[in-house]
Amino acid sequence: MALLLLAAVLLGARSSAQTLPDLGDVSQAVFSPAIERRLGEAIMESVRADRSYLDDPVSTDYLNALGNRLVAASPDSRQSFEFFLLDDAQVNAFALPGGFIGVHTGLMFTAQTESELASVLAHEVAHVTQRHIARMIAREEKSQLATLAALAIGLLAARSNSQLAQAVITGSQAAAIQTQLDFSRDNEREADRVGVQILEQSGFDVRAMPVFMERLQRASRVYESNAPAYLRTHPVTTERIADLQNRAEVIAYKQIPDNREFQIVRARLRASVGDPRQAVEFFEQGLKERRFISETASHYGLALALLRAKDFARASRELSVVEQAVPGLAAVAVVRGQLLAASGDVAGALAHYVAALKVHPRYRALVYDYAELLVANRQPEAALRILEAQLLHAPDDSRLHALQAQSYAAQGKRLLQHKAQAEAYARRGQLGAAIEQLQIASRAGDGDFYQLSSVEARLRELRAQLKAAEKDKRLP
Ligand SMILES: [Zn+2]
């Protein structure tokens, strides 16, 4: 649905809900990084609304920490990156215009070590820093808006294998677009070369890249009907593996300790999706037969699956095993807090959040859960204090604004509630909805003079922004 909507908007249907990037005179100029970013942001708006988009702060923050470690080690690290997860069993990772890099859960499960995951990400980061996407799009002679839009959607389809995106560009057109969208073989070779450099510079095992390629190759032989999407856009040839092995061989071998957080996040993703009972069985079975990479991570997965299945007593015992093995891990503290709250120990949960936030003061998942629990237990003032402190560091976090709106609602402060909700929408790029909330706020009748004038000032600001965005929509 979301991608269909994007297609409709980009291809010229009139809609005020979406903001089309101003693509300017692409035909004359090089596809600039700013334009590329806006194109990426427009695509991301649809990606975030897609059902497969995985909004788990624990996993997403882990992925971004890993990704940005690679970016920092890349030859050109000026561009900002955003890594995101899609719940999709196909093994894949892909770069969108503007530094947005998508990772399928299937890749997280197939990678056995953090270095293997990092090797795929490093390759995608290299596609971005080497500006392969921009060059690919700029190569198109007919740089009409519609062509670019179709390219963008086709890019998404080719990279993510999203069924929706596939549906948008069915038929012969799809085939034409997809062949145009594959990176050139030179680009692929360059991404491999730069990717190996990035891996080495950031301290990962460079041998992980050929090892992972071979793993994929074996997997595709077994599941021929469901060949990983990554292999479709990145054919693994004996030549490519040999080339990667050669590159790796000249680099001195280092024993890289596997990040325990990687295994925890893998288990977390497994435990979070699908039927909770099946997830419980998966981890129980693995622990019984000692089939696991990390025993601690398996206990973590089992604890989370049991929490979802509402078996709180057993979940607590499993989590204790993890807490003893890896004390002080934020991803573990999140589950303990949810477990305490779910089993009715509100006082225990609140005390737990206070202690955990002392150790991990900026950890989003803990902040969200703590604020939610405070609101649910009629302590909106305390929630607001926490949220305001966090907003100083993350003013663009829409979820913090939404929680602020909930807190004000619990206090019965209508003007402030709708003003905060407006900020939540504005941060997600939904200007129309934000303006609507500000209009409600201005009529709420429970604010003082200063609050009211700040609502009106913000209303003027957002209206001007929306107008500028509408102007950008140079429809073909
Ligand atoms: Zn590639």
Side-chain angles (χ1 to χ4, degrees):
M1 181 62 203
L3 291 170
L4 274 167
L5 182 64
L6 173 74
V9 172
L10 289 178
L11 293 171
R14 284 172 194 279
S15 158
S16 58
Q18 302 258 343
T19 313
L20 187 69
D22 179 7
L23 296 167
D25 299 320
V26 203
S27 50
Q28 304 162 22
V30 183
F31 204 60
S32 82
I35 292 172
E36 199 190 326
R37 182 77 185 180
R38 294 179 71 178
L39 186 57
E41 266 162 8
I43 298 174
M44 278 310 288
E45 217 178 291
S46 297
V47 170
R48 287 196 192 97
D50 198 90
R51 252 188 327 172
S52 62
Y53 182 74
L54 231 162
D55 190 16
D56 172 38
V58 172
S59 313
T60 305
D61 286 0
Y62 162 75
L63 189 67
N64 276 281
L66 172 65
N68 282 310
R69 190 174 144 194
L70 298 168
V71 171
S74 76
D76 182 0
S77 56
R78 279 169 302 172
Q79 157 130 37
S80 72
F81 277 77
E82 184 177 328
F83 298 82
F84 60 95
L85 280 160
L86 293 178
D87 180 16
D88 191 320
Q90 290 247 4
V91 180
N92 205 7
F94 56 93
L96 292 174
F100 297 96
I101 292 182
V103 175
H104 285 191
T105 45
L107 171 61
M108 300 290 292
F109 300 148
T110 308
Q112 308 277 294
T113 66
E114 188 171 49
S115 285
E116 288 184 14
L117 171 62
S119 76
V120 177
L121 294 185
H123 175 99
E124 295 303 321
V125 166
H127 275 313
V128 176
T129 58
Q130 305 308 112
R131 306 219 58 225
H132 291 164
I133 299 171
R135 275 189 236 158
M136 184 198 330
I137 297 176
R139 257 201 315 269
E140 291 301 309
E141 278 175 23
K142 289 169 282 171
S143 292
Q144 301 291 328
L145 187 56
T147 315
L148 277 175
L151 274 172
I153 294 156
L155 188 73
L156 189 58
R159 302 289 146 216
S160 76
N161 196 39
S162 156
Q163 286 183 336
L164 275 166
Q166 300 275 18
V168 170
I169 45 159
T170 46
S172 57
Q173 194 197 0
I177 288 172
Q178 287 207 7
T179 49
Q180 285 167 4
L181 282 169
D182 284 339
F183 290 122
S184 70
R185 291 183 60 161
D186 282 346
N187 282 174
E188 289 300 344
R189 260 193 293 269
E190 190 177 39
D192 273 349
R193 179 177 60 76
V194 175
V196 170
Q197 278 172 16
I198 293 175
L199 265 192
E200 192 201 359
Q201 288 293 314
S202 48
F204 289 102
D205 181 6
V206 290
R207 281 159 189 79
M209 206 182 262
V211 168
F212 187 67
M213 291 298 145
E214 281 182 317
R215 196 192 308 291
L216 275 187
Q217 210 176 28
R218 278 199 303 276
S220 72
R221 269 190 221 120
V222 182
Y223 311 104
E224 243 178 275
S225 56
N226 190 23
Y230 189 75
L231 288 179
R232 211 161 33 76
T233 49
H234 293 89
V236 178
T237 57
T238 320
E239 184 204 337
R240 187 172 172 217
I241 293 178
D243 185 41
L244 286 167
Q245 277 165 344
N246 288 340
R247 286 185 201 284
E249 245 155 51
V250 296
I251 297 166
Y253 179 75
K254 276 181 291 194
Q255 182 69 44
I256 311 301
D258 209 17
N259 192 333
R260 58 189 179 178
E261 225 182 329
F262 167 68
Q263 301 298 350
I264 293 275
V265 166
R266 270 177 102 224
R268 181 178 178 83
L269 290 170
R270 270 228 197 271
S272 311
V273 294
D275 177 48
R277 280 280 144 210
Q278 276 175 4
V280 169
E281 241 166 72
F282 173 85
F283 287 107
E284 268 176 349
Q285 208 56 28
L287 282 163
K288 206 172 114 197
E289 293 163 17
R290 302 199 63 76
R291 256 191 310 104
F292 44 67
I293 301 174
S294 155
E295 185 168 1
T296 304
S298 291
H299 284 292
Y300 178 85
L302 182 54
L304 188 57
L306 286 164
L307 166 62
R308 285 182 65 217
K310 298 195 168 35
D311 189 343
F312 303 135
R314 269 190 74 202
S316 180
R317 283 198 298 277
E318 290 297 328
L319 199 63
S320 299
V321 176
V322 186
E323 284 163 340
Q324 280 181 4
V326 284
L329 209 60
V332 180
V334 169
V335 181
R336 178 55 79 192
Q338 289 174 347
L339 192 50
L340 286 165
S343 49
D345 183 2
V346 175
L350 292 175
H352 169 78
Y353 285 125
V354 171
L357 280 164
K358 279 206 179 102
V359 188
H360 314 281
R362 306 256 175 279
Y363 202 69
R364 286 196 302 146
L366 287 170
V367 173
Y368 297 155
D369 288 352
Y370 183 32
E372 256 166 45
L373 189 66
L374 284 169
V375 175
N377 287 280
R378 299 194 190 84
Q379 300 182 45
E381 300 79 17
L384 285 167
R385 274 197 301 276
I386 305 292
L387 293 167
E388 249 147 57
Q390 287 298 317
L391 278 165
L392 290 178
H393 302 280
D396 289 328
D397 185 333
S398 72
R399 205 144 148 188
L400 291 175
H401 290 284
L403 283 164
Q404 213 179 24
Q406 280 177 35
S407 309
Y408 285 129
Q411 289 183 322
K413 294 180 177 168
R414 294 195 57 233
L415 179 144
L416 291 172
Q417 176 200 336
H418 293 288
K419 186 169 181 270
Q421 190 57 50
E423 293 307 324
Y425 284 132
R427 267 26 181 230
R428 284 179 223 143
Q430 297 169 302
L431 292 180
I435 288 169
E436 214 169 279
Q437 287 296 319
L438 285 172
Q439 285 166 337
I440 300 173
S442 73
R443 290 193 301 264
D446 64 350
D448 60 30
F449 172 76
Y450 294 101
Q451 288 169 338
L452 207 55
S453 22
S454 114
V455 165
E456 264 146 29
R458 188 69 174 133
L459 199 50
R460 279 194 295 277
E461 222 171 81
L462 290 187
R463 277 188 179 133
Q465 268 183 40
L466 185 66
K467 213 169 162 185
E470 298 271 352
K471 228 170 118 189
D472 278 358
K473 284 188 197 167
R474 301 181 354 159
L475 296 172

